[in-house]
């Protein structure tokens, strides 16, 4: 897929293996900017021990209001192999994280699946969360079946003109709806364990954007 990248709905068709860059500006290697135990996601995600977040560099959305601008727009971060990423997953599990929280993973799905496969062989057992902006290919989401336990998509816009103006993407409404339906088909509605921590399901986030009218 990286040789003719159509991983997200932009379908740039560039050869990322040969250092050609598409809209997201991501290369063939996984690039990450931050690994943390996040205590400020939804309570059913962060719980009392935290969510094991991994923030990926670059993004297929170009939101003018992005709070992680340096990471998502400027690509700040460090390259890691799939094996190194699998070790990061396991380190988060060691730290008692409730889950692995993949933040803006869309443009690295192929490589992330590889990392999950390796990590599971080494003993990764906590839920995997796919935390994305909602601008996803159904075909790519289908590749994640069986690897992702919880989908955490944004549904940012119900107006394609606003999506184009503020995130530079076309057809956001239909694209995101189709992707979310596929996510729900795979994992269904939220299931919480006895401690109120999500183990499976879809949670949709809506953005509140002040002064947009
Ligand atoms: S992942 Fe990046 S290169 Fe691939 S289609 Fe999307 S924006 Fe283009």
């Amino acid at each position: 897929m990286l040789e003719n990248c159509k991983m997200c709905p932009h379908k740039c068709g560039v050869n990322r293996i040969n250092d050609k860059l598409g809209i997201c500006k991501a290369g063939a290697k996984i690039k990450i900017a931050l690994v943390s135990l996040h205590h400020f996601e939804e309570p059913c995600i962060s719980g009392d021990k935290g969510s094991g977040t991994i923030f990926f560099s670059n993004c297929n959305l170009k939101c003018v209001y992005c709070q992680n601008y340096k990471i998502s727009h400027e690509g700040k971060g460090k390259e890691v192999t799939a094996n190194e990423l699998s070790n990061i997953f396991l380190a988060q599990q060691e730290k008692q994280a409730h889950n692995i929280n993949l933040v803006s993973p869309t443009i690295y799905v192929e490589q992330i699946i590889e990392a999950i496969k390796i990590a599971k062989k080494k003993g990764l057992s906590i839920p995997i969360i796919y935390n994305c902006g909602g601008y996803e290919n159904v075909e790519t989401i289908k590749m994640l079946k069986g690897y992702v336990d919880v989908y955490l998509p944004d549904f940012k816009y119900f107006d394609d003109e606003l999506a184009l103006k503020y995130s530079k993407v076309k057809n956001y409404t239909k694209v995101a709806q189709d992707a979310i339906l596929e996510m729900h088909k795979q994992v269904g509605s939220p299931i919480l364990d006895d401690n109120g921590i999500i183990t499976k399901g879809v949670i949709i986030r809506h953005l509140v954007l002040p002064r947009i009218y």
Side-chain angles (χ1 to χ4, degrees):
M1 187 181 270
L2 291 169
E3 288 177 356
N4 177 21
C5 189
K6 293 182 178 162
M7 213 163 326
C8 87
H10 288 304
K11 298 190 175 168
C12 302
V14 294
N15 186 341
R16 287 168 58 179
I17 306 274
N18 278 354
D19 294 332
K20 296 282 183 273
L21 302 181
I23 288 172
C24 66
K25 299 202 186 93
K29 292 189 179 140
I30 308 162
K31 200 170 180 190
I32 60 171
L34 181 70
V35 175
S36 69
L37 265 184
H38 198 326
H39 291 278
F40 304 104
E41 300 279 37
E42 287 78 354
C44 68
I45 294 171
S46 281
D48 54 357
K49 295 175 189 154
S51 177
T53 46
I54 294 109
F55 286 75
F56 291 90
S57 308
N58 298 103
C59 188
N60 65 336
L61 293 164
K62 302 293 168 203
C63 306
V64 296
Y65 46 80
C66 183
Q67 61 184 4
N68 295 325
Y69 191 90
K70 285 201 175 297
I71 298 173
S72 60
H73 288 233
E74 295 180 359
K76 186 182 169 200
K78 178 186 166 198
E79 287 180 351
V80 291
T81 64
N83 190 46
E84 285 167 335
L85 184 59
S86 76
N87 288 336
I88 290 169
F89 294 163
L90 291 161
Q92 294 284 45
Q93 182 169 271
E94 281 278 302
K95 287 185 203 155
Q96 307 295 315
H98 290 292
N99 40 58
I100 299 298
N101 188 340
L102 308 168
V103 184
S104 302
T106 310
I107 57 180
Y108 299 107
V109 163
E110 194 171 273
Q111 302 96 315
I112 288 170
I113 289 172
E114 189 59 30
I116 294 172
K117 281 184 189 167
I118 298 169
K120 282 191 183 283
K121 277 189 195 151
K122 294 183 196 165
L124 183 74
S125 59
I126 54 178
I128 307 277
I129 299 183
Y130 188 86
N131 179 349
C132 69
Y135 199 59
E136 307 285 321
N137 261 345
V138 169
E139 297 74 27
T140 306
I141 296 299
K142 281 183 178 167
M143 287 166 56
L144 291 161
K145 189 174 179 186
Y147 296 107
V148 165
D149 303 286
V150 176
Y151 284 101
L152 186 60
D154 292 336
F155 188 73
K156 293 177 187 285
Y157 306 99
F158 220 129
D159 181 323
D160 286 343
E161 276 183 37
L162 289 179
L164 188 58
K165 185 172 179 185
Y166 293 112
S167 293
K168 317 284 182 254
V169 288
K170 292 179 185 162
N171 307 319
Y172 180 87
T173 310
K174 172 88 169 71
V175 164
Q177 282 175 326
D178 288 349
I180 290 169
L181 283 171
E182 172 58 28
M183 294 172 190
H184 193 267
K185 205 163 131 190
Q186 286 179 26
V187 297
S189 299
I191 296 172
L192 309 186
D193 67 14
D194 293 343
N195 298 314
I197 304 297
I198 192 162
T199 57
K200 199 174 175 194
V202 179
I203 296 179
I204 301 171
R205 285 171 165 167
H206 298 288
L207 295 196
V208 177
L209 300 175
R211 298 197 298 279
I212 288 183
Y213 44 80

mmCIF file of all heavy atoms in Angstrom, residues 5-8 10-12 14 16 22-24 60 107, ligand 1:
data_model
loop_
_atom_site.group_PDB
_atom_site.id
_atom_site.type_symbol
_atom_site.label_atom_id
_atom_site.label_comp_id
_atom_site.label_asym_id
_atom_site.label_seq_id
_atom_site.Cartn_x
_atom_site.Cartn_y
_atom_site.Cartn_z
ATOM 1 N N CYS A 5 0.133 4.974 -2.292
ATOM 2 C CA CYS A 5 -0.611 5.182 -1.052
ATOM 3 C C CYS A 5 -2.046 5.678 -1.264
ATOM 4 O O CYS A 5 -2.284 6.755 -1.810
ATOM 5 C CB CYS A 5 0.147 6.143 -0.125
ATOM 6 S SG CYS A 5 -0.644 6.175 1.499
ATOM 7 N N LYS A 6 -2.970 4.830 -0.810
ATOM 8 C CA LYS A 6 -4.387 5.205 -0.802
ATOM 9 C C LYS A 6 -4.948 4.855 0.571
ATOM 10 O O LYS A 6 -6.067 4.394 0.716
ATOM 11 C CB LYS A 6 -5.122 4.454 -1.911
ATOM 12 C CG LYS A 6 -4.648 4.917 -3.278
ATOM 13 C CD LYS A 6 -5.344 4.257 -4.420
ATOM 14 C CE LYS A 6 -4.795 4.847 -5.721
ATOM 15 N NZ LYS A 6 -5.060 4.032 -6.879
ATOM 16 N N MET A 7 -4.073 5.036 1.565
ATOM 17 C CA MET A 7 -4.428 4.620 2.924
ATOM 18 C C MET A 7 -5.578 5.452 3.486
ATOM 19 O O MET A 7 -6.354 4.989 4.289
ATOM 20 C CB MET A 7 -3.203 4.722 3.831
ATOM 21 C CG MET A 7 -3.231 3.651 4.879
ATOM 22 S SD MET A 7 -1.719 3.273 5.749
ATOM 23 C CE MET A 7 -0.365 3.456 4.720
ATOM 24 N N CYS A 8 -5.663 6.707 3.062
ATOM 25 C CA CYS A 8 -6.759 7.546 3.554
ATOM 26 C C CYS A 8 -7.537 8.094 2.358
ATOM 27 O O CYS A 8 -7.130 7.912 1.210
ATOM 28 C CB CYS A 8 -6.205 8.655 4.447
ATOM 29 S SG CYS A 8 -5.707 10.134 3.560
ATOM 30 N N HIS A 10 -7.734 10.757 0.828
ATOM 31 C CA HIS A 10 -7.079 11.625 -0.161
ATOM 32 C C HIS A 10 -6.593 10.819 -1.366
ATOM 33 O O HIS A 10 -6.477 11.353 -2.464
ATOM 34 C CB HIS A 10 -5.880 12.353 0.475
ATOM 35 C CG HIS A 10 -6.258 13.429 1.424
ATOM 36 N ND1 HIS A 10 -7.071 14.482 1.064
ATOM 37 C CD2 HIS A 10 -5.944 13.641 2.728
ATOM 38 C CE1 HIS A 10 -7.227 15.295 2.108
ATOM 39 N NE2 HIS A 10 -6.568 14.793 3.133
ATOM 40 N N LYS A 11 -6.280 9.534 -1.139
ATOM 41 C CA LYS A 11 -5.834 8.632 -2.212
ATOM 42 C C LYS A 11 -4.777 9.284 -3.112
ATOM 43 O O LYS A 11 -4.926 9.344 -4.336
ATOM 44 C CB LYS A 11 -7.032 8.148 -3.023
ATOM 45 C CG LYS A 11 -8.007 7.358 -2.151
ATOM 46 C CD LYS A 11 -9.076 6.644 -2.927
ATOM 47 C CE LYS A 11 -9.914 5.791 -1.973
ATOM 48 N NZ LYS A 11 -11.123 5.255 -2.499
ATOM 49 N N CYS A 12 -3.704 9.772 -2.509
ATOM 50 C CA CYS A 12 -2.655 10.494 -3.243
ATOM 51 C C CYS A 12 -1.973 9.632 -4.306
ATOM 52 O O CYS A 12 -1.527 10.139 -5.330
ATOM 53 C CB CYS A 12 -1.594 11.003 -2.275
ATOM 54 S SG CYS A 12 -2.230 12.087 -0.998
ATOM 55 N N VAL A 14 0.930 8.233 -4.121
ATOM 56 C CA VAL A 14 2.384 8.441 -4.149
ATOM 57 C C VAL A 14 3.112 7.199 -3.634
ATOM 58 O O VAL A 14 2.545 6.398 -2.896
ATOM 59 C CB VAL A 14 2.811 9.667 -3.291
ATOM 60 C CG1 VAL A 14 2.275 10.951 -3.886
ATOM 61 C CG2 VAL A 14 2.378 9.497 -1.838
ATOM 62 N N ARG A 16 5.484 6.146 -1.175
ATOM 63 C CA ARG A 16 6.125 6.604 0.073
ATOM 64 C C ARG A 16 7.452 5.885 0.313
ATOM 65 O O ARG A 16 8.318 6.399 1.008
ATOM 66 C CB ARG A 16 5.162 6.437 1.254
ATOM 67 C CG ARG A 16 4.038 7.465 1.214
ATOM 68 C CD ARG A 16 2.904 7.172 2.178
ATOM 69 N NE ARG A 16 3.310 7.083 3.564
ATOM 70 C CZ ARG A 16 2.441 6.855 4.570
ATOM 71 N NH1 ARG A 16 1.143 6.714 4.306
ATOM 72 N NH2 ARG A 16 2.872 6.777 5.809
ATOM 73 N N GLY A 22 2.766 12.611 0.060
ATOM 74 C CA GLY A 22 1.404 13.006 -0.272
ATOM 75 C C GLY A 22 0.973 14.152 0.632
ATOM 76 O O GLY A 22 1.805 14.830 1.246
ATOM 77 N N ILE A 23 -0.321 14.358 0.706
ATOM 78 C CA ILE A 23 -0.866 15.487 1.478
ATOM 79 C C ILE A 23 -0.439 15.438 2.944
ATOM 80 O O ILE A 23 -0.140 16.454 3.558
ATOM 81 C CB ILE A 23 -2.405 15.507 1.335
ATOM 82 C CG1 ILE A 23 -2.761 15.961 -0.091
ATOM 83 C CG2 ILE A 23 -3.067 16.435 2.358
ATOM 84 C CD1 ILE A 23 -4.220 15.855 -0.441
ATOM 85 N N CYS A 24 -0.354 14.222 3.497
ATOM 86 C CA CYS A 24 0.001 14.110 4.925
ATOM 87 C C CYS A 24 1.489 14.352 5.195
ATOM 88 O O CYS A 24 1.885 14.569 6.328
ATOM 89 C CB CYS A 24 -0.398 12.743 5.457
ATOM 90 S SG CYS A 24 0.546 11.395 4.707
ATOM 91 N N ASN A 60 -3.572 13.489 8.065
ATOM 92 C CA ASN A 60 -4.247 13.681 6.778
ATOM 93 C C ASN A 60 -5.263 14.824 6.830
ATOM 94 O O ASN A 60 -5.810 15.209 5.809
ATOM 95 C CB ASN A 60 -4.931 12.380 6.319
ATOM 96 C CG ASN A 60 -6.058 11.944 7.218
ATOM 97 O OD1 ASN A 60 -6.117 12.289 8.401
ATOM 98 N ND2 ASN A 60 -6.968 11.160 6.677
ATOM 99 N N ILE A 107 -2.532 7.520 8.938
ATOM 100 C CA ILE A 107 -1.585 7.480 7.812
ATOM 101 C C ILE A 107 -0.505 6.408 7.986
ATOM 102 O O ILE A 107 0.368 6.264 7.136
ATOM 103 C CB ILE A 107 -0.953 8.872 7.609
ATOM 104 C CG1 ILE A 107 -0.267 9.345 8.898
ATOM 105 C CG2 ILE A 107 -2.013 9.874 7.190
ATOM 106 C CD1 ILE A 107 0.390 10.713 8.790
HETATM 107 S S1 LIG B 1 -1.979 8.536 3.976
HETATM 108 FE FE1 LIG B 1 -0.961 10.427 3.257
HETATM 109 S S2 LIG B 1 -0.013 9.873 1.282
HETATM 110 FE FE2 LIG B 1 -1.492 8.275 1.805
HETATM 111 S S3 LIG B 1 -3.397 8.861 0.776
HETATM 112 FE FE3 LIG B 1 -3.505 9.725 2.849
HETATM 113 S S4 LIG B 1 -2.660 11.799 2.713
HETATM 114 FE FE4 LIG B 1 -2.069 10.704 0.849
#
